[in-house]
Amino acid sequence: QVQLAESGGGSVQAGDSLRLSCSASGRAFSSGAVGWFRQAPGKERAFLAVISWSGDTRGYADSVKGRFTISRDNGKNTYDLQMNSLKPEDTAVYYCAIGRYSSAPSSYDYWGQGTQVTVSS
């Protein structure tokens, strides 16, 4: 079993930056892709970014491309999402997940509990 825990969320102003971190524990999982998703109230969980197990391949949703950067450190079992130029519409609960390289939530087997990000104008 793999346990994931997100941290780094908070309340910021528009234009600020936040760095989310996802810490993994449990059985070996370094071969899995890592994805970041978010879910705003009343909306479905939305894909943000994905990184392959080696870190060589990354993908982003159009809504965050150029503002968000995904990274991973397999030696430390941590996966980060650097978020710059935050907008009020970025307000949501943010989740990390491990699974197949995909933008579909159904491709991921393990999920964290989420961390709240609130961006005020």
Side-chain angles (χ1 to χ4, degrees), residues 12 14 20 35 42 65 84 96 103:
V12 297
L20 304 183
K65 196 173 296 182
N84 299 328
C96 65
S103 62

Side-chain angles (χ1 to χ4, degrees), residues 28-78:
F29 48 75
S30 61
S31 60
V34 173
W36 280 93
F37 296 79
R38 69 186 179 192
Q39 189 165 17
K43 295 187 177 181
E44 294 186 352
R45 194 163 296 189
F47 166 76
L48 298 175
V50 59
I51 186 169
S52 63
W53 73 270
S54 66
D56 291 342
T57 306
R58 307 175 193 196
Y60 296 93
D62 288 343
S63 60
V64 303
K65 196 173 296 182
R67 298 191 299 127
F68 291 11
T69 302
I70 190 171
S71 61
R72 67 187 294 165
D73 185 335
N74 289 338
K76 296 181 178 179
N77 297 336
T78 57

